[in-house]
Amino acid sequence: MSAQPYEPGPRNPGHREPAPRDPAPREVAPRNPGPRGQAPRSEPETRSRANQETMVSDAPRRARGRGGGGGGGPEGPAGPRKPGGDKPGWRRFIPNWKIVMAGFAVLAAGLFGMIAVAYANMPVPTQDQVQDGVDDQGSVIYDENKKVLARLGVKRIPVTYDQVPRAVQDAVIAAENSSFRDDSGISFSGMMRSLWSTASGQQVQGASTITQQMARGYYDGLSQERTVQRKIKEIFVAVKLNKQLSKEKILEQYLNTIYFGRGAYGIGAAADAFFGRKVEKLTPEQGAYLAGRIQNPDAFDRAELAGKMGDTEFRYNYVIKQMAQLDATAYGSLPAKSPKSPKRVKYQTKDYFKGLAGYEVEAVLNELKARGISREDVEKGGYKIYSTFNKELMQAAKAAVNKHTAGLPGEINATLAAVDPTNGRVRAFYGGDDYEKDAWNDAFLSQKQAASAFKPYVLAAWLDAGYSLKSYVPTKGPVKLPGTTDINNDHAMKASAVDVISATAQSVNTAYAKMGEKVGLEKVIDIASKAGLDEDRLKDAQSRHHYLITIGSSQVTAVEQAGGYSIFANGGKHYPNHVIIQVRDKKNQVVFNEKKTPVRVISPDAAADAVTALEAVVKQGTGRNAALYDRPVAGKTGTNNENKEAWFVGFTPQLSTAVGMFRQECRTKAGKVVQPVHDTCPWARGKSKKYTPANPYSKPYEVPLGSGFQGATYPAAIWKTFMIEAMKGQKVEQFPPRADTGIAENLAPKPIPTPTATTDPFAEQDPNEICGEIGPCDEDQIVTIDPNENGGIPQDDGTVMGRGQDPRSGAPASMPSRRENQ
């Protein structure tokens, strides 16, 4: 008989105390009552059943504690129960092993069924689902000689699978996924290895295969979050891609997508950034170094910049050892042969918006924007942009300006632009010394009155209208024209009239005002606008200054003037000024080319005769300081009222160049004059937070350049210095001969000749001598004040028009900030 779990309690043979009960009737185990189901039982029967129950209670999970009463034993159910109940009672909750196995089978079947359904419903990514930016490729801007001027945007040089050396492929495979060429897109051993290496702190290879990494980095829908859901989705996609794409295509997309550091995306850009070579030229060692970087490129960048090479060497050694295991025949000697990583090129974070290059890049971006290609497009579109700029000429322009302005006040500004008249290409310009310090590009942005350098457009209109150089025009003033201040000359004249050549050489204001009246201002504006000057500005000047436009009241830029004079150098034809020759996209397809069909502005004969007159300016007139010793030059000087602007614009058959000068004084609201900083008026004052770019400490005001500044002085000298360098080694070309076309249209009576000896009008003369018929060879000046708008100039002040004190009262008018008036 089994041992009793309870001690026997007191007993009364005649009466038995009932055991404590649960509210429900106590049953030890289900049983069949049989034919005696409810018959009363005697005590021996009860004890006997109690003994049976005790035996049953030794069986697993058949405790008798269900009812809560006492145990059996000799004393029967009336015996007292010890606290704690029946010890084997917990076993009753363990299911039968068959049930457990069946449950596992059901769960496994359900789980695999769910996985199968999810896998079947997972779509294969298409090209429409390629991530934004995954194939972004920075653009390259080239100069005239197809040398790199700037690289903008994402560093990516796409390559094909065949371009990547096998050793470089194997290096990446050894570092990231040694079973890549044979696996199904996922690697369970890799997952287990990753768990162990992460736990042990020696992680050298991730759990994701190359296929998984490519899927995550190339297609939409797979985020970078570390979640089970994302990982499962990534596995499904990887398996499907592995079936749809070849291993070669997967590896190609991966190598073009992955980041290597130094801003380089893809193996092509990495080869250039780290070793300065094309991917085809990479060695096994270089491939191993790059492959090792994939794990954590930013961290390796920071460590290497700090001079810490430990992590780099560790990864490199790991990769070459893995390569040796992957293919002992090909790479078994690498660990012993090349234990140290290969030498890299110096890491330089080049800022392409510094120095002269910054102005060039900005000019290119502005023209691209005008053609519908935004800065964002440039940084992502992988364009090849071929610009017109010549590096040597850019440096020559800067050197010429600095040579002749050294020692001058910082308020004085000079600008230069050089355009090829045969195609409209802006080959060089001077807009400032350093874009980083002064981003305002004077050559393209500073609009200044053209002064007498505008007169060639009136000359072109005169000749194109059918009037000849032999026409006589007035030299005496004042000339009174509708709605315009009386126009006079800045020096006394000997003769009452001169021919058009002399009037051009000596820049006679009265002559050109009457010539403009004869042909009409609409004709002049039409010619000038077709030559590249801004038509809106021309019409605005006409509406405000009327006939003063004939002597230069309209505003122009240096680039516009250089391009405008190309109509004379190029037989009357004009190509639009531009800084881009061609643009190609990432597929090497031409996006657009420069315009190759010119606009006919004036006839070839009119152009030839205009050149004759403009040559006289340099041979004997106001522009003699610009003459070159070895080739013909034509051009025109220009100086504004009170010497506020001074110009010389001249050309050879191969190059048209404009040089302009002006002066800007920086003033505070209180009128205090402060010095410019890097050619710009300072908007801040110390640490004060009172001033902002919108509320600057000082603003620029245009003031006279001062005595000694005329188009024939500093501008002509700068022009000559630059052109000597620009024309070095260039063929000496001649201008076309004088056509002598048109009819003589005398706007003033031809003077009666005197019986005195005449001189060659084109002979070189001493600047202190009398110039031909019209007096001293001083530079001209113009008047740009409209009496109908500004109150006029007193007629009895005793001054010559255009000289002496500014007739306008008060301080010079405020000008918009150079940086804000774009």
Side-chain angles (χ1 to χ4, degrees), residues 457-474:
Y457 304 111
V458 181
L459 175 63
W462 175 266
L463 295 170
D464 200 61
Y467 305 126
S468 77
L469 293 175
K470 296 178 181 179
S471 304
Y472 274 78
V473 288

Side-chain angles (χ1 to χ4, degrees), residues 463-538:
L463 295 170
D464 200 61
Y467 305 126
S468 77
L469 293 175
K470 296 178 181 179
S471 304
Y472 274 78
V473 288
T475 63
K476 299 295 184 179
V479 169
K480 299 179 182 293
L481 296 172
T484 304
T485 302
D486 292 352
I487 296 175
N488 212 326
N489 298 310
D490 67 339
H491 51 268
M493 299 295 168
K494 286 185 174 183
S496 61
V498 293
D499 65 20
V500 172
I501 294 178
S502 294
T504 304
Q506 301 305 323
S507 197
V508 181
N509 291 340
T510 54
Y512 269 86
K514 293 298 288 183
M515 290 165 65
E517 180 190 33
K518 180 64 178 178
V519 299
L521 295 185
E522 290 74 15
K523 174 73 171 178
V524 173
I525 291 173
D526 181 61
I527 293 287
S529 62
K530 286 180 179 177
L533 274 61
D534 186 89
E535 186 175 9
D536 290 337
R537 276 188 258 127
L538 291 167

